[in-house]
């Protein structure tokens, strides 16, 4: 593995930089707000299901039931995406530091494990937001329902290539050489894709 440098070697790894505490906090806020915003169309679908089950209930009760179900769904999605962000961050950092690549393929200038973990966590968040936006625009253009935008993030589909692109940029931002960043992006994406393929649809 190429030579690594201390935290001072990565310009935006400090507490106020993109890969510092502030960047991580902004990433988490963006993930939460993005999940909530793209979950708004889900309200109508949930309301329809509630009405089907209790069509004779008062309007107020239907509204309360819809609100509870919607909030539960949003919270569940936020937790799921947050846990995946943490897992991807750790996997990316481990791969970046331990993938055996020839030093002649490029010099790594990344900092410590924490910086790498934050970088790949932010890479995952960027993937989530990008997929939510692209998926929603595609369905808006084709006249489809946008209610399943957030659940689509954890589905195996044609938007998966956005993940290695985001992780590649994250690795480069953390100081990894192009070859190592690409190898990490490919390996983490492969693990994620295999996991999705093994899960029941």
């Amino acid at each position: 593995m190429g030579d690594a440098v201390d935290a001072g070697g990565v310009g935006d790894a400090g507490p106020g930089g993109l890969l510092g505490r502030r960047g991580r906090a902004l990433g988490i806020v963006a993930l939460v707000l993005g999940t909530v915003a793209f979950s708004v169309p889900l309200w109508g679908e949930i309301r329809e299901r509630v009405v089907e089950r209790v069509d004779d209930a008062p309007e107020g009760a239907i509204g309360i039931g819809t609100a509870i179900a919607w909030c539960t769904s949003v919270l569940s999605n936020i937790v799921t995406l947050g846990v995946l962000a943490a897992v991807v961050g750790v996997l990316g950092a481990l791969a970046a530091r331990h993938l055996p690549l020839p030093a002649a393929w490029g010099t790594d200038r990344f900092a410590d494990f924490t910086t790498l973990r934050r970088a790949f966590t932010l890479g995952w968040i960027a993937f989530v937001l990008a997929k939510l936006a692209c998926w929603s625009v595609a369905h808006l253009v084709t006249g489809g329902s946008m209610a399943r935008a957030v659940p689509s993030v954890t589905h195996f589909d044609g938007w998966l290539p956005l993940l290695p692109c985001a992780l590649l940029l994250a690795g480069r931002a953390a100081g990894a050489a192009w070859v190592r960043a690409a190898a990490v992006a490919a390996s983490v994406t492969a693990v994620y894709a295999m996991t999705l393929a093994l899960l029941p649809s």
Side-chain angles (χ1 to χ4, degrees):
M1 184 169 62
D3 296 329
V5 298
D6 58 16
V10 180
D12 56 359
L18 177 63
L19 303 183
R21 299 186 189 92
R22 183 177 300 175
R24 179 185 59 180
L26 290 175
I28 293 173
V29 170
L31 179 64
V32 172
L33 293 180
T35 303
V36 173
F38 283 97
S39 295
V40 171
L42 186 60
W43 178 278
E45 181 177 304
I46 292 177
R47 180 179 174 82
E48 290 178 1
R49 294 180 181 178
V50 172
V51 171
E52 288 177 1
R53 295 186 178 182
V54 288
D55 56 350
D56 56 344
E59 185 66 22
I62 292 177
I64 293 175
T66 302
I68 293 175
W70 184 82
C71 291
T72 301
S73 176
V74 172
L75 181 60
S76 174
N77 287 328
I78 290 174
V79 171
T80 299
L81 296 178
V83 170
L84 286 173
V87 171
V88 169
V90 172
L91 287 178
L94 289 173
R97 300 206 43 107
H98 298 295
L99 274 179
L101 296 176
W105 287 8
T107 301
D108 300 306
R109 297 188 58 81
F110 48 69
D112 55 17
F113 182 86
T114 300
T115 300
L116 287 168
R117 177 176 54 80
R118 287 174 179 168
F120 289 108
T121 297
L122 290 175
W124 166 262
I125 293 175
F127 159 70
V128 170
L129 297 178
K131 181 174 181 179
L132 286 174
C134 294
W135 191 96
S136 298
V137 169
H139 279 68
L140 182 63
V141 170
T142 59
S145 173
M146 294 177 13
R148 310 303 297 174
V150 176
S152 75
V153 174
T154 53
H155 288 174
F156 194 105
D157 56 23
W159 298 109
L160 184 61
L162 291 173
L163 179 57
C165 294
L167 295 180
L168 173 63
L169 294 178
R172 287 295 295 159
W178 278 107
V179 174
R180 183 171 299 278
V184 172
S187 59
V188 173
T189 301
V191 171
Y192 180 66
M194 290 174 56
T195 302
L196 292 183
L198 293 174
L199 290 176
S201 57

